[in-house]
Amino acid sequence: MRIELVKRPQRSALFSILSPFIAFALTIIAGAIMFALLGVNPLNAFEIYFVEPISQVWQLHELAIKAAPLILIAVGLSVCYKANIWNIGAEGQFIFGAIFGSIIPVLFPQFEGPLVIPLMLLLGMVGGALYASIPAFLKTRFSTNEILTSLMLVYVAQLFLDWLVRGPWRDPQGHGFPQTIQFGDSAVLPELMPDAGRANWGFVFALVAAVAIWLMMSRTLKGFEVRVLGSSPRAGRFAGFGFNRMVFFTFLLSGALAGLAGISEVSGAIGQLQPVISPGYGFTAIIVAFLGRLNPLGIVAAGLVLALTYLGGEAVQSALGISDKVARVFQGMLLFFVLGCDTLIHYRIRLIGMALVKPNGAKLEAAPKLEEAR
Amino acid sequence: MGGTVSANHDRSNLLEVRGLTKIFGTLTACDHIDLNIAKGEIHALLGENGAGKSTLVKMLFGSLEPNSGEIFWDGRAVKITSPGVAKKLGIGMVFQHFSLFEALTAAENIALSLNDGSPISTIAAKARALSFSYGLPLDPDSLVGDLSVGERQRIEIIRCLLQTPQLIILDEPTSVLTPQEADKLFETLERLRSEGKSILYISHRLEEVKRICDRATVLRHGKVVGHCNPREETAASLARMMVGSEVKAVVRAPAEGIETAPALLEIRGLSRKPATPFAIPLKNINLKVRVGEVIGIAGVAGNGQGEFFESISGEVLQQDAGSVRIRGKDAGGLSITGRRLMGAAFVPEERLGHGAAPRMKLSENLLLSRHATDGKAFVGSGGMVRNGAVYSAAQRIIKAMDVRKSAPDPEAAALSGGNLQKFIVGRELDRKPSVMVVNQPTWGVDAGAAAHIRQALIELARSGSAVLVISQDLDELFELSDGIAVMHNGELSTPLPIAEATFEKIGLLMGGAEPGHAEHSLEVA
């Protein structure tokens, strides 16, 4: 018994659009089975997981807080992936953005005023972009595989942050806790509507970035360049577009956006640096990018869905006593089904069983008899 | 309808095909094809590109499954479900594009496809014996990467013969051979025929079909339009059957005063080291293409034409800026965009994936090569693409080149090869470039479209541009060129003026003879 993927002659336009919805439905079904196995009524669990976390206005603000970094990172990654360049290390770029942006409030806390936030955001973007330039340089100079280098640099970034907050940047008055000082007031990203909830300007940055990248990809020559180099590199070279330049462009752009997400998260939602500042936003954003079909506007919707899986995970933990790792499980299933559905748009499955091989074998034996007959 | 269709299936026919049909979506690639191949005959399968020849052959070799129809092998109904089944029946195939591993020896390549566990030394001995008896000189221990295209084809033929086939299918075998190598191949084929083997010979070269084939089946638009004895036909009558109408002959007015005209494209001492172990190095190439002139570059595939094209186009840069000069200025250090801005235009050999991005619309593919040269017209402030202007320019090209398509602005991959090529050539002609470099302008293009493209290239030259055409199709070069140079093993001969060029002279150069040598050996002959 063998399974083969056979390329379809045509892709169905309808199913290309439906695919994320089918994937979502399949995730729900698989999730129901998982909840049932855990001994929880699936309907009840789904209500707690998907409905309750967004039933009040302040909860929508929480959703926006979680969605903002996912969207910011994912729109940057979508440009990389469209160019067929695989930046998997957004988590590390997120962390370096946070570290660079925190230089001002941690090392120069006496520096205050309206310039602090813009400078921190700028530094955050520079940090993310610089960190992303490492795999870009390695790829263009030594042809290393950017998937491996960018991924491995995530762990370097995580441990570097851990060392910083335990060592040189630790708050001297923090009773030995591994964290920096609390950021001053002028280093905190303002909330959008302080009366209604905690959502900060990070969500606005995410929406602006999504629209800007959408415009760039669909309307400008640069977007055209990304699409050509991603879909047919040789035609791109014929067009005069440089591949190495594109590697740097996409890594720097996605790194800057991940860095902006990092500093926004630290300055807005957390207020200081800690050993862990991200529940895996940089990795979850990969799912967001694909669930949004690498379209920045689709990514906004996908970012909200994935943000909900985080909130839902916390909700089932407190209400049902199920580990909040369930959020990871949901995200994993969603990515699995999205990629599965996408694969089936391009390919169909053919089962080649033993039963099918036999008649073939019979014919193979018939052939020599023909020879003898002659 | 020729051939015999009898109830008890005449045993004199080795292969009999009845009503074979293959449908792809809405396209009927093969529509109730009937075909009989007798024992010991060379049977030609004629047709333009897209006529259904490849589809038919793939069904006979088991790589495609027919929708309906019957195949009789030696009088018995058979189902050919895979190439393995075809081989066991006794059908062998020599493909147009070889499937050989360059880093392995000839014998190792043969062993891979035989896959019967016999030791390499046995296979090498068998191959050597076969190559000797059929007059196909081949050293089984030589590395494929070191062999010429003609020698590689011999490996494919010997590999096929080792399986003792009764029917051998040859797909455009001479398209990669010099005229002299083709003569040798014909001797082998006649030898095989005399042993009672049958050959299905696919070609669009009418003269050679007339020369060696006993019968011919002509396909057009997936249907059999006639069976005939090619020896009783003229090349023109065969062409009419293939195309369905008269093909307009290309008119080439004699070029006047070319010798003294200034050179628009000049190659001076161009050399290039091989980029990969099996790439061809370019060796001290010198060439001038003058105002009003079409220069053709002949040569067997894989003799450095691709490397040469990349070097002229600027996809690969030269260290010596003076080795490529466009309109009297050094261009060797400029990128393809820089060279385009100097007035040059390029059409590469591969349409899909090189000259055009398959999944992009025609208008986007227009932008592909003209975003810089027409920057003001096509790209606005902030890098925004003016989609309206690009779209209308694309429509202008479609109209000028008579590109047939199914939608107003379809994806490049949705067009037939000929129509896409017309668009790609038209895209560059529309710019009225002063230097035009084209690699294989009509490869895989139907006769009508080919005539259109060739005429357009001649007219571009006569209007004051310099045109350089690289092609493996000698007929095409003789139709187009004012002078023909030959590329062999990375070296380029001096162009022969068209008045002095003959197939024999060019053929000898393609085989690697020195220019002076060619003249000499002809005199001896």
Side-chain angles (χ1 to χ4, degrees):
Chain A
M1 174 83 174
R2 194 155 55 102
I3 302 173
E4 261 187 4
L5 287 178
V6 184
K7 193 148 194 155
R8 292 179 196 270
Q10 263 122 9
R11 295 167 299 166
S12 158
L14 175 67
F15 277 92
S16 293
I17 296 165
L18 283 182
S19 141
F21 298 98
I22 297 172
F24 191 69
L26 289 170
T27 307
I28 294 290
I29 293 168
I33 295 169
M34 179 185 71
F35 280 130
L37 289 175
L38 287 169
V40 184
N41 176 1
L43 282 180
N44 185 25
F46 279 133
E47 195 188 342
I48 296 169
Y49 198 105
F50 287 114
V51 182
E52 276 186 6
I54 47 171
S55 50
Q56 290 178 39
V57 174
W58 70 268
Q59 288 173 312
L60 291 176
H61 279 255
E62 294 301 312
L63 187 73
I65 287 176
K66 291 268 188 290
L70 290 177
I71 296 170
L72 261 179
I73 300 168
V75 290
L77 292 182
S78 75
V79 179
C80 285
Y81 300 162
K82 277 273 183 193
N84 215 358
I85 291 163
W86 299 95
N87 178 4
I88 306 296
E91 182 83 1
Q93 294 139 28
F94 177 95
I95 291 170
F96 259 81
I99 293 172
F100 265 61
S102 302
I103 288 174
I104 296 176
V106 173
L107 297 183
F108 309 99
Q110 66 285 2
F111 175 44
E112 286 177 352
L115 271 179
V116 173
I117 280 291
L119 270 177
M120 284 168 64
L121 297 176
L122 193 68
L123 272 174
M125 292 170 76
V126 169
L130 275 180
Y131 205 58
S133 70
I134 300 172
F137 171 76
L138 293 173
K139 181 176 175 65
T140 51
R141 185 71 180 76
F142 302 109
S143 301
T144 53
N145 183 325
E146 74 275 21
I147 299 178
L148 290 177
T149 52
S150 64
L151 177 63
M152 290 192 292
L153 283 167
V154 170
Y155 306 112
V156 176
Q158 285 171 341
L159 293 171
F160 182 70
L161 172 66
D162 193 79
W163 170 76
L164 263 187
V165 294
R166 287 175 202 278
W169 283 17
R170 188 173 59 188
D171 179 4
Q173 272 94 51
H175 308 289
F177 280 105
Q179 58 195 28
T180 64
I181 54 166
Q182 283 283 334
F183 291 179
D185 285 346
S186 51
V188 171
L189 198 60
E191 290 171 359
L192 286 172
M193 290 171 277
D195 300 334
R198 295 201 307 136
N200 58 44
W201 278 85
F203 191 64
V204 177
F205 299 156
L207 294 183
V208 170
V211 171
I213 298 287
W214 176 76
L215 272 177
M216 182 196 86
M217 290 300 287
S218 58
R219 296 289 156 83
T220 68
L221 192 62
K222 196 72 197 172
F224 178 70
E225 191 177 332
V226 172
R227 287 184 288 133
V228 171
L229 279 172
S231 63
S232 8
R234 195 127 184 257
R237 203 175 59 166
F238 179 69
F241 301 145
F243 182 72
N244 284 355
R245 248 181 16 224
M246 182 53 63
V247 172
F248 272 101
F249 173 76
T250 55
F251 262 102
L252 292 181
L253 177 70
S254 59
L257 287 173
L260 178 64
I263 187 58
S264 301
E265 177 74 8
V266 170
S267 145
I270 304 175
Q272 65 188 156
L273 277 181
Q274 307 163 346
V276 175
I277 53 169
S278 157
Y281 287 136
F283 294 117
T284 309
I286 299 170
I287 308 175
V288 173
F290 280 100
L291 190 63
R293 315 213 61 79
L294 303 184
N295 175 330
L297 304 183
I299 283 170
V300 173
L304 290 168
V305 170
L306 267 296
L308 182 54
T309 62
Y310 278 117
L311 295 182
E314 291 166 12
V316 289
Q317 184 177 34
S318 59
L320 301 172
I322 297 175
S323 160
D324 70 347
K325 290 282 187 294
V326 77
R328 290 286 184 87
V329 175
F330 264 101
Q331 292 166 2
M333 288 194 299
L334 200 51
L335 180 64
F336 173 81
F337 285 121
V338 166
L339 295 181
C341 287
D342 280 1
T343 305
L344 291 180
I345 288 172
H346 292 282
Y347 299 89
R348 64 190 171 79
I349 292 177
R350 197 166 73 183
L351 292 175
I352 298 171
M354 288 311 175
L356 273 170
V357 171
K358 266 190 185 149
N360 260 352
K363 264 192 224 90
L364 291 179
E365 287 160 20
K369 280 181 204 141
L370 276 176
E371 291 268 341
E372 289 159 25
R374 215 179 287 121
Chain B
M1 288 280 301
T4 46
V5 180
S6 56
N8 55 359
H9 301 305
D10 194 346
R11 286 285 303 271
S12 69
N13 280 335
L14 179 65
L15 181 83
E16 197 172 327
V17 170
R18 280 211 256 131
L20 210 60
T21 301
K22 180 69 192 177
I23 300 170
F24 296 111
T26 56
L27 176 84
T28 308
C30 282
D31 191 353
H32 293 91
I33 303 278
D34 294 325
L35 172 72
N36 298 318
I37 299 174
K39 288 178 186 164
E41 77 164 342
I42 303 184
H43 193 111
L45 189 58
L46 276 172
E48 290 198 272
N49 279 286
K53 296 181 308 232
S54 305
T55 309
L56 174 60
V57 166
K58 278 181 188 157
M59 289 192 286
L60 295 180
F61 197 59
S63 27
L64 273 179
E65 203 179 322
N67 291 80
S68 64
E70 296 168 298
I71 300 174
F72 298 92
W73 178 258
D74 213 10
R76 296 186 198 196
V78 289
K79 278 214 166 13
I80 305 174
T81 50
S82 74
V85 175
K87 281 182 196 163
K88 292 274 179 185
L89 281 175
I91 301 176
M93 175 137 186
V94 177
F95 289 95
Q96 188 179 4
H97 300 284
F98 308 145
S99 45
L100 297 171
F101 294 95
E102 297 195 325
L104 299 181
T105 66
E108 284 167 339
N109 267 289
I110 295 171
L112 270 176
S113 71
L114 290 181
N115 198 23
D116 61 356
S118 38
I120 302 274
S121 55
T122 319
I123 289 168
K126 277 192 197 165
R128 192 169 278 125
L130 260 180
S131 80
F132 185 72
S133 69
Y134 282 100
L136 295 164
L138 176 73
D139 175 10
D141 299 323
S142 53
L143 211 59
V144 170
D146 298 334
L147 298 180
S148 75
V149 184
E151 287 169 311
R152 290 181 200 202
Q153 188 182 51
R154 280 179 222 149
I155 303 178
E156 291 268 354
I157 293 173
I158 287 169
R159 170 155 93 177
C160 175
L161 291 177
L162 269 175
Q163 292 161 354
T164 56
Q166 294 304 307
L167 172 66
I168 301 160
I169 304 174
L170 293 158
D171 189 2
E172 302 267 356
T174 56
S175 63
V176 293
L177 300 181
T178 66
Q180 288 81 359
E181 282 175 315
D183 285 341
K184 279 222 180 98
L185 174 70
F186 297 153
E187 280 169 29
T188 309
L189 296 185
E190 274 159 12
R191 167 89 194 271
L192 286 166
R193 170 170 60 190
S194 69
E195 290 174 2
K197 300 207 191 285
S198 305
I199 292 162
L200 182 61
Y201 189 89
I202 302 167
S203 183
H204 65 269
R205 293 191 175 170
L206 304 170
E207 289 300 337
E208 60 186 44
V209 166
K210 270 173 64 62
R211 185 170 147 198
I212 61 160
C213 296
D214 305 303
R215 281 199 299 153
T217 297
V218 185
L219 294 185
R220 192 196 315 150
H221 300 316
K223 289 195 177 112
V224 173
V225 291
H227 302 276
C228 62
N229 179 345
R231 297 202 173 97
E232 292 165 5
E233 303 284 332
T234 64
S237 69
L238 286 174
R240 234 182 348 260
M241 277 171 94
M242 265 168 64
V243 182
S245 60
E246 293 287 344
V247 176
K248 227 174 26 184
V250 171
V251 187
R252 188 167 55 85
E256 309 252 328
I258 279 180
E259 299 78 20
T260 54
L264 290 178
L265 176 68
E266 195 178 349
I267 318 291
R268 291 199 305 208
L270 172 68
S271 297
R272 184 181 161 195
K273 292 199 180 72
T276 65
F278 299 112
I280 304 290
L282 299 178
K283 296 165 204 155
N284 190 24
I285 291 177
N286 291 288
L287 184 70
K288 277 183 182 170
V289 191
R290 300 170 191 278
V291 172
E293 189 178 36
V294 182
I295 291 288
I297 294 187
V300 174
N303 268 293
Q305 292 97 326
E307 288 82 356
F308 182 55
F309 178 85
E310 279 184 337
S311 303
I312 306 182
S313 71
E315 286 167 279
V316 174
L317 304 185
Q318 286 74 50
Q319 274 164 358
D320 172 12
S323 60
V324 174
R325 290 167 63 84
I326 294 170
R327 292 169 73 191
K329 291 200 184 78
D330 289 356
L334 294 175
S335 69
I336 186 165
T337 301
R339 294 182 198 196
R340 283 191 178 119
L341 289 171
M342 290 175 83
F346 309 97
V347 176
E349 175 178 1
E350 285 283 327
R351 285 184 280 272
L352 288 175
H354 192 177
R359 289 271 164 221
M360 290 197 162
K361 292 185 233 160
L362 288 185
S363 57
E364 292 175 298
N365 272 303
L366 169 62
L367 197 60
L368 189 77
S369 76
R370 291 184 46 183
H371 59 89
T373 53
D374 298 68
K376 283 203 188 95
F378 293 158
V379 184
S381 59
M384 295 293 238
V385 174
R386 293 186 209 273
N387 284 321
V390 177
Y391 181 83
S392 50
Q395 295 303 318
R396 179 175 74 221
I397 292 161
I398 287 166
K399 203 160 163 239
M401 294 302 286
D402 186 28
V403 178
R404 316 250 171 99
K405 58 197 174 25
S406 52
D409 194 10
E411 285 181 355
L415 262 63
S416 73
N419 279 306
L420 181 58
Q421 185 72 1
K422 281 197 274 187
F423 181 80
I424 292 175
V425 173
R427 170 176 82 186
E428 309 303 334
L429 290 175
D430 184 64
R431 263 180 62 204
K432 302 197 172 49
S434 47
V435 173
M436 177 98 162
V437 182
V438 193
N439 193 0
Q440 297 277 59
T442 63
W443 179 76
V445 172
D446 60 82
H452 192 138
I453 290 172
R454 289 171 193 163
Q455 192 69 57
L457 290 174
I458 291 172
E459 276 158 22
L460 177 71
R462 294 302 182 255
S463 71
S465 302
V467 177
L468 182 63
V469 177
I470 304 168
S471 178
Q472 284 143 45
D473 185 345
L474 276 187
D475 299 312
E476 167 169 88
L477 291 178
F478 274 88
E479 213 170 293
L480 272 173
S481 317
D482 301 307
I484 300 181
V486 176
M487 183 156 265
H488 179 260
N489 203 16
E491 288 179 272
L492 190 71
S493 72
T494 352
L496 279 175
I498 194 71
E500 295 168 27
T502 62
F503 266 62
E504 286 69 30
K505 283 187 198 172
I506 300 295
L508 284 171
L509 288 170
M510 283 163 73
E514 291 298 312
H517 212 107
E519 299 273 1
H520 179 70
S521 54
L522 266 183
E523 279 157 26
V524 172

